Amino acid sequence: MLKLGMFQAKTILSDREEIIKIIETFFEVGKTKDLAPLREIQLDDNSFSSFSDVPPYDLKDFKTTISLEELRFISISDYDHQIRNPKISVFGDVAVVAFELDTERNANRQQGVHW
């Protein structure tokens, strides 16, 4: 779960723009190696759970999710990304987002990764 409202103090954004900004923040962690935003944009709550296509294939709590994300982002270097074709549905204070993610690492382009 990502937290909406993180950027409201800085600027007033539409829901769509704010959601994309939060997702961008997530992927920027791998480039900047500043891991603090991972804890800021995700909900530290007992109801939090995440699932990944990377083992272990189970639902993870906040602490486990953050630990695994930090390990993943520390091991990534020299990449760029572009979010394409975002489809955002907002239901009250919950949003569901699907998008294509293009990544570029050392001049090797990987297209069409879906999240």
Side-chain angles (χ1 to χ4, degrees):
M1 280 186 229
L2 300 178
K3 287 189 224 176
L4 259 179
M6 177 181 163
F7 297 96
Q8 287 177 340
K10 295 180 183 176
T11 181
I12 298 174
L13 302 173
S14 72
D15 286 347
R16 179 182 168 84
E17 291 169 323
E18 188 172 3
I19 290 164
I20 294 297
K21 181 71 176 166
I22 292 169
I23 293 169
E24 286 284 347
T25 299
F26 180 82
F27 288 105
E28 285 295 313
V29 168
K31 292 168 66 175
T32 65
K33 305 303 183 208
D34 176 9
L35 303 175
L38 291 176
R39 295 180 185 279
E40 295 169 7
I41 64 172
Q42 298 183 77
L43 184 62
D44 185 359
D45 186 88
N46 288 337
S47 63
F48 177 94
S49 65
S50 72
F51 182 80
S52 174
D53 59 351
V54 178
Y57 303 115
D58 60 356
L59 287 177
K60 295 158 194 64
D61 62 11
F62 177 81
K63 183 178 177 182
T64 304
T65 297
I66 293 295
S67 296
L68 292 172
E69 287 173 352
E70 288 174 347
L71 288 171
R72 185 176 315 136
F73 281 123
I74 286 172
S75 67
I76 294 174
S77 63
D78 298 328
Y79 84 98
D80 200 6
H81 67 278
Q82 178 184 9
I83 293 173
R84 294 187 308 122
N85 302 320
K87 294 181 179 27
I88 302 170
S89 300
V90 178
F91 306 97
D93 62 353
V94 175
V96 177
V97 182
F99 56 89
E100 296 175 30
L101 181 68
D102 285 346
T103 59
E104 185 176 340
R105 295 183 196 166
N106 302 324
N108 293 324
R109 191 125 180 114
Q110 300 174 355
Q111 291 188 344
V113 177
H114 298 278
W115 285 70

